[in-house]
Amino acid sequence: MSLPSPGPGAARWSTPARLIDLVRSRPGVTRAVAAQELGIGSGAATDLMARMRRLDLLDESPAPAQGRGRPTTILEPHPAGPLVVIAELSPTGWRVATADLCGEPRIEAAAGRLRGGPDRVLADMADAIGAVVQRDPSRVRAVSVSVAGAVLDDRLVQFTPLGWTDVDLTPLTANLLADSDIPMLVANDATLAGLAEARTGSARGVGTALHLIIAVGLGGALVVDGVPVVGAHGGAGEYGHVPFGDPAKQCPCGAHGCWDLTIDGRALAEHLGEPPPDNAFDYAHELLRQHSAGASDERHQRAFDRVAAALGRGIAGLVSIHDPDMVTLGGLATPLRAAAPEPFEAAYRAGLMSFRKHLPSPVVDGIHGDDGPLHGAALRGIDHVTTVDALAQWAQR
């Protein structure tokens, strides 16, 4: 997810790019505050905003009056400005959304179930993406895709919940206009959720943040200064396949001893002496619902205790590896910890090296919940369309 180097003549877009980033990161920022942050005078700020309006990038509206003094304005995305189309594929369905320069997703189409195999699902998503793009093709500058599986480049190499392997994702943009040159950006859902928490969530402003999310298995992302570490081909963050589990057990991924098998609905079913669930996510979600309603018994509590301890122990290992300032949790990780906070905390503390025990990395709940990947995909897309080169291309469209 590194940004391209600016091309010749793009230096004059540095300040506009910084202004857009400020508007995105601080909703409701006024022109006066933006000028101070950018280190420019009020006259230069007025000229800059006039230029941004002419180019359909930013607009402004009157700010609420606050006593005496010259009135100012609130800066906001231009209604005719760049858009990113977001596509999210999860074990429970898919969604297509759009986001303007503020990066707030707006749902355009969705399916609550995945019907058929990968070809059918991708075709349905492609129809929805194409319909959104064709509505206003000049505004759409990127398609940002979130998938709940292992990703290498533009391929979904393993989608464990449905047994899909080596799925080419490029058909998602097959229905775009023939002359369009819209890039597709693909990333793992946990990576994008981590990006969202680091930029606009619980880890905002944190230098090094580790985000972990549980659905069917566990994924995550290490985010350093707001940028996820994605590896050579985008496949980093598959923490659920670190061998923190029983080495005698083989995971559907093909490896042995995966942490995945100790921390989700499959582990709960095993501890309860029940057969493996057809849908580990729904199974765990229902048990947690019963627990929060006070309908669980001691047998269920022991299962939650064991899973929460496995989660805490593994997080301690990752803290030793990455030394994060903060760990954030999403998906089922949040209610699983809440169902057995003491076993989680005891296992986490016990797994830490001595020098860390007096000041452990805090483990906090994320704020984006199930929408974390959607928000992260929006942010990644906006990052792409607001580089200095991309802004220069927008101006020449």
Side-chain angles (χ1 to χ4, degrees):
M1 293 178 64
S2 60
L3 300 180
S5 299
R12 67 192 186 96
W13 284 98
S14 175
T15 299
R18 290 170 57 206
L19 177 60
I20 291 172
D21 186 63
L22 186 62
V23 171
R24 176 176 51 171
S25 62
R26 295 174 58 178
V29 68
T30 64
R31 189 205 297 174
V33 170
Q36 292 175 352
E37 293 286 337
L38 296 175
I40 61 177
S42 60
T46 300
D47 292 343
L48 175 59
M49 274 306 303
R51 178 184 173 197
M52 301 298 266
R53 282 195 304 273
R54 286 195 304 271
L55 295 174
D56 297 338
L57 285 169
L58 293 178
D59 205 350
E60 50 193 336
S61 58
Q66 295 183 348
R68 297 181 178 180
R70 182 178 297 178
T72 186
T73 59
I74 291 175
L75 308 186
E76 54 201 9
H78 196 283
L83 287 178
V84 170
V85 175
I86 307 147
E88 178 193 38
L89 174 61
S90 75
T92 57
W94 58 263
R95 295 187 288 181
V96 170
T98 54
D100 61 20
L101 291 181
C102 270
E104 186 67 27
R106 181 176 63 252
I107 303 298
E108 303 284 355
R113 293 177 57 191
L114 299 182
R115 303 181 184 277
D119 291 345
R120 169 68 185 278
V121 171
L122 294 184
D124 290 343
M125 295 178 69
D127 287 342
I129 293 169
V132 172
V133 173
Q134 291 172 26
R135 194 170 63 206
D136 200 345
S138 65
R139 294 183 63 194
V140 176
R141 311 304 286 180
V143 176
S144 184
V145 181
S146 165
V147 290
V151 174
L152 292 179
D153 299 321
D154 290 339
R155 305 189 76 84
L156 174 57
V157 294
Q158 190 154 326
F159 193 30
T160 302
L162 297 183
W164 297 358
T165 58
D166 199 27
V167 177
D168 181 9
L169 296 173
T170 56
L172 287 173
T173 56
N175 293 341
L176 301 188
L177 297 176
D179 60 348
S180 65
D181 186 23
I182 300 173
M184 183 176 73
L185 316 171
V186 180
N188 172 265
D189 63 337
T191 300
L192 293 171
L195 174 64
E197 289 299 333
R199 293 278 190 87
T200 61
S202 296
R204 181 175 180 177
V206 171
T208 302
L210 174 65
H211 183 68
L212 300 172
I213 181 172
I214 295 177
V216 179
L218 176 146
L222 182 70
V223 186
V224 180
D225 294 332
V227 179
V229 178
V230 298
H233 304 285
E238 294 292 339
Y239 294 115
H241 302 289
V242 175
F244 287 163
D246 184 349
K249 293 181 180 179
Q250 185 174 22
C251 178
C253 78
H256 285 75
C258 289
W259 190 22
D260 264 4
L261 302 180
T262 70
I263 45 76
D264 66 3
R266 293 167 292 184
L268 289 172
E270 180 181 1
H271 296 323
L272 291 169
E274 298 180 358
D278 292 333
N279 187 316
F281 179 86
D282 287 347
Y283 178 86
H285 190 274
E286 176 59 21
L287 290 181
L288 288 164
R289 187 196 65 78
Q290 294 175 12
H291 183 271
S292 64
S296 294
D297 57 22
E298 292 184 6
R299 187 170 64 100
H300 287 83
Q301 186 60 59
R302 286 194 296 271
F304 285 126
D305 290 351
R306 294 181 69 177
V307 168
L311 178 61
R313 189 163 46 248
I315 291 175
L318 297 182
V319 166
S320 295
I321 293 170
H322 291 309
D323 188 26
D325 295 300
M326 177 182 290
V327 179
T328 56
L329 301 180
L332 294 176
T334 299
L336 283 170
R337 177 175 72 150
E342 293 180 0
F344 172 90
E345 186 67 19
Y348 176 52
R349 293 277 182 160
L352 295 173
M353 299 169 69
S354 295
F355 80 94
R356 295 185 186 278
K357 293 183 188 294
H358 73 286
L359 193 63
S361 300
V363 182
V364 305
D365 295 342
I367 68 171
H368 287 301
D370 293 339
D371 288 334
L374 203 68
H375 282 270
L379 290 169
R380 188 189 182 197
I382 298 303
D383 279 351
H384 184 85
V385 305
T386 56
T387 65
V388 290
D389 279 342
L391 291 176
Q393 292 170 6
W394 169 264
Q396 297 170 3
R397 70 196 189 284

